[in-house]
């Protein structure tokens, strides 16, 4: 059921070209929260290269954030880049934003789980939501901050308390799982990974990451032992990067790429492009977990339709079943933090 739907997820990044987006409109205001960090800087650089963005606001708590904005502003692309720093400037950075991307927070280090990041990063997401509820409640928001499975519920609960919740506008960016699935499947099958599209559902950590390889385009198949090994690699790819960097950080560059891809999808939807479809972790009743990642049809006002999971293989049904308890616990942790 996804043959037509998921193809629009594929985008081409033209690093030396004039733009990343095919849209002819150039009137979008985008804010990056955490713009001076390991994800935020390359993400901001990618966003600057889009002709579809008029204003790009870069916010972080560190003092050199205006310097990052100044540096990126020297690139010969149209978007006006402005830097903001410190809690006192958070609302100004967010004011009237149409798209907000949040990679803010501390990164994972060797031995850390996403849950270990919770106390620090939960406060970051709460504070951004409080400010956004006041100055840009209608923005389409993409949350990268880990643990995504808990941080998206935090953002939604804060907006609910403020009387500004529209769950169709709030997304947990799980795009990196799709990017990794495409890369790994392409490598395994000798395919150009840009032509591979595999939906990934569930959540954005460990066993909650469920690649639907049976729905991959082009169609691929693996012997069961190889399928299980590939699935585990997709689920644990973040740890693979953390270990490979040997204490120097987590996935930043690939996450920036994935975050930019999702931001451009939101902008294309805002500009009226039809059939914009991406997987994301959102408030959902698909599996009775309150939040769940699945393919979504996105329009001017956010989610137009949750496309669900489609037909699952027996193995994928087992993976979804294993993900449910973890997801429910993650969601409960996020909601408890706000209460």
């Amino acid at each position: 059921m996804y043959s037509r739907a998921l193809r629009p997820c594929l985008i081409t990044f033209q690093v030396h070209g004039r733009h990343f987006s095919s849209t002819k409109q150039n009137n979008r205001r985008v804010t990056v929260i955490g713009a001076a960090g390991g994800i935020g800087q390359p993400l901001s650089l990618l966003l600057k290269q889009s002709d579809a963005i008029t204003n790009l606001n870069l916010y972080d708590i560190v003092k050199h954030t205006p310097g990052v904005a100044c540096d990126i502003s020297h690139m010969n692309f149209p978007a006006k880049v402005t830097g903001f720093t410190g809690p006192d400037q958070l609302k100004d950075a967010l004011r009237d934003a149409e798209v907000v991307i949040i990679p803010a927070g501390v990164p994972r280090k060797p031995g850390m789980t996403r849950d270990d990041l919770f106390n620090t990063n939960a406060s970051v997401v709460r504070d951004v939501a409080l400010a956004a509820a006041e100055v840009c409640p209608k923005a389409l928001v993409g949350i990268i901050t880990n643990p995504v499975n808990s941080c998206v519920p935090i953002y939604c609960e804060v907006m609910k308390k403020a009387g500004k919740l529209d769950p169709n506008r709030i997304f947990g960016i799980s795009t990196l799982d799709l990017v990794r699935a495409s890369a790994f499947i392409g490598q395994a099958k000798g395919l150009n990974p840009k032509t591979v599209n595999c939906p990934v559902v569930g959540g954005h950590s460990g066993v909650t990451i469920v690649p639907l390889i049976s729905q991959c385009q082009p169609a691929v198949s693996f012997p069961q032992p190889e399928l299980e090994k590939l699935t585990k690699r997709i689920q644990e790819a973040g740890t693979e990067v953390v270990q490979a960097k040997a204490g120097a950080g987590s996935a930043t560059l690939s996450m920036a790429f994935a975050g930019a891809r999702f931001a451009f999808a939101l902008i294309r939807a805002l500009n009226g492009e039809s059939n914009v479809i991406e997987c994301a972790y959102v408030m959902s009743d698909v599996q009775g977990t309150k939040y769940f990642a699945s393919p979504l049809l996105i329009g001017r006002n956010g989610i137009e339709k949750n496309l669900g999971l489609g037909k699952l293989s027996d193995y994928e049904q087992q993976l979804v079943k294993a993900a449910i308890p973890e997801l429910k616990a993650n969601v409960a942790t996020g909601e408890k933090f706000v209460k």
Side-chain angles (χ1 to χ4, degrees), residues 133-134 137 158-166 170:
E134 184 174 336
V158 172
M159 294 295 282
K160 183 190 296 184
K161 282 193 170 186
K164 300 293 179 65
L165 176 63
D166 182 348
I170 302 167

Side-chain angles (χ1 to χ4, degrees), residues 57 62 76 121 150 173 189 207-208 260 268-269:
N57 287 353
V62 295
N76 59 329
N121 290 356
S150 299
I173 299 181
K189 290 297 185 181
V207 297
T208 71
R268 285 162 39 220

